[in-house]
């Protein structure tokens, strides 16, 4: 394996400019999320990704902006209470958000469940694990259809805090079978507030 510097778009102000600079320099990956750049990161990245068809793209499912939440509420994907939380791992929402990410970006190689421990405040470990498996079930549908290459978990502190472990993230639901390794890029950013 050869190390390569890639672009993460969290807190990047000029996403398209940063992407053009990084990709022109040979960065093989771009990491983003629907809530980055006040919800505009995907749209800003799409034209740049069109110029670099071999660059791989990772995004996330979970966090959303207030505007994205209002749209999801209007479309019946989230309840008012879920919208207020600005984070959801409900299977229907993960499916909806991933569809929107694919449409906005044009392509997605990996989708990470975005900081599941955030949604887990007040939940016991079993309930948190069930929510992650529900999100993985939605993402497996995309992987099985060949619309994404894989999925995993991006976490601030889920591993460190003991909210879940690598074996937990790899666990398959009873009777279920995940064809894609659920740890395609499991990352513990160790940066509080990364989101």
């Amino acid at each position: 394996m050869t190390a390569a510097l890639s672009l993460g778009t969290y807190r990047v102000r000029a996403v398209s400019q940063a992407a053009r600079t990084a990709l022109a320099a040979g960065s093989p990956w771009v990491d983003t999320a629907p809530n980055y750049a006040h919800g505009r990161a995907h749209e800003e990245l799409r034209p740049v990704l069109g110029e670099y068809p071999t660059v791989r793209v990772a995004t996330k499912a979970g966090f959303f902006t207030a505007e994205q939440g209002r749209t999801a509420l209007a479309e019946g994907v989230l309840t008012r209470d879920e919208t207020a939380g600005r984070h959801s791992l409900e299977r229907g929402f993960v499916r909806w958000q991933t569809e929107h990410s694919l449409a906005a970006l044009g392509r997605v190689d990996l989708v990470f469940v975005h900081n599941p421990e955030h949604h887990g405040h007040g939940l016991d470990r079993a309930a948190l694990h069930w929510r992650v498996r529900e999100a993985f079930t939605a993402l497996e549908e995309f992987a099985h259809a060949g619309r994404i290459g894989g999925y995993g978990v991006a976490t601030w502190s889920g591993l460190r805090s003991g909210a879940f472990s690598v074996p937990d993230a790899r666990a398959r639901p009873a009777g279920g079978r995940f064809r894609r390794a659920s740890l395609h890029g499991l990352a513990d950013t160790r940066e509080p507030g990364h989101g």
Side-chain angles (χ1 to χ4, degrees):
M1 178 191 221
T2 304
L5 187 62
S6 296
L7 176 67
T9 60
Y10 178 63
R11 293 189 178 173
V12 171
R13 292 186 187 132
V15 173
S16 59
Q17 179 183 352
R20 275 196 178 86
T21 301
L23 302 183
S27 291
W29 278 93
V30 173
D31 176 74
T32 190
N35 62 314
Y36 289 1
H38 305 286
R40 295 185 317 272
H42 285 173
E43 287 76 17
E44 290 184 31
L45 281 170
R46 184 174 182 135
V48 181
L49 294 174
E51 298 167 22
Y52 295 90
T54 61
V55 168
R56 304 202 56 203
V57 183
T59 191
K60 301 172 186 75
F63 283 105
F64 52 89
T65 65
E67 181 180 337
Q68 292 162 352
R70 286 189 293 274
T71 302
L73 176 64
E75 293 183 18
V77 179
L78 291 175
T79 66
R80 190 165 301 285
D81 287 343
E82 290 166 337
T83 302
R86 304 272 294 271
H87 185 272
S88 177
L89 299 180
E90 296 298 321
R91 186 187 309 190
F93 177 75
V94 169
R95 188 179 296 118
W96 180 88
Q97 193 173 45
T98 302
E99 286 287 0
H100 281 261
S101 293
L102 282 162
L105 290 163
R107 68 179 190 272
V108 174
D109 295 287
L110 296 175
V111 178
F112 296 116
V113 175
H114 201 175
N115 302 111
E117 70 277 10
H118 174 82
H119 195 71
H121 295 302
L123 293 178
D124 62 29
R125 280 178 49 100
L128 175 60
H129 296 173
W130 180 83
R131 289 188 185 272
V132 171
R133 284 191 295 274
E134 283 291 293
F136 279 179
T137 299
L139 295 172
E140 176 62 20
E141 294 169 9
F142 288 93
H144 182 75
R147 299 183 66 203
I148 65 173
Y151 50 88
V153 174
T155 177
W156 293 333
S157 59
L159 297 172
R160 212 177 11 184
S161 70
F164 53 86
S165 66
V166 171
D168 294 333
R170 293 182 59 92
R172 288 157 175 75
R177 169 169 131 21
F178 291 122
R179 293 177 323 99
R180 303 290 191 268
S182 61
L183 295 176
H184 273 117
L186 181 70
D188 192 336
T189 64
R190 302 190 188 275
E191 181 183 336
H194 179 78

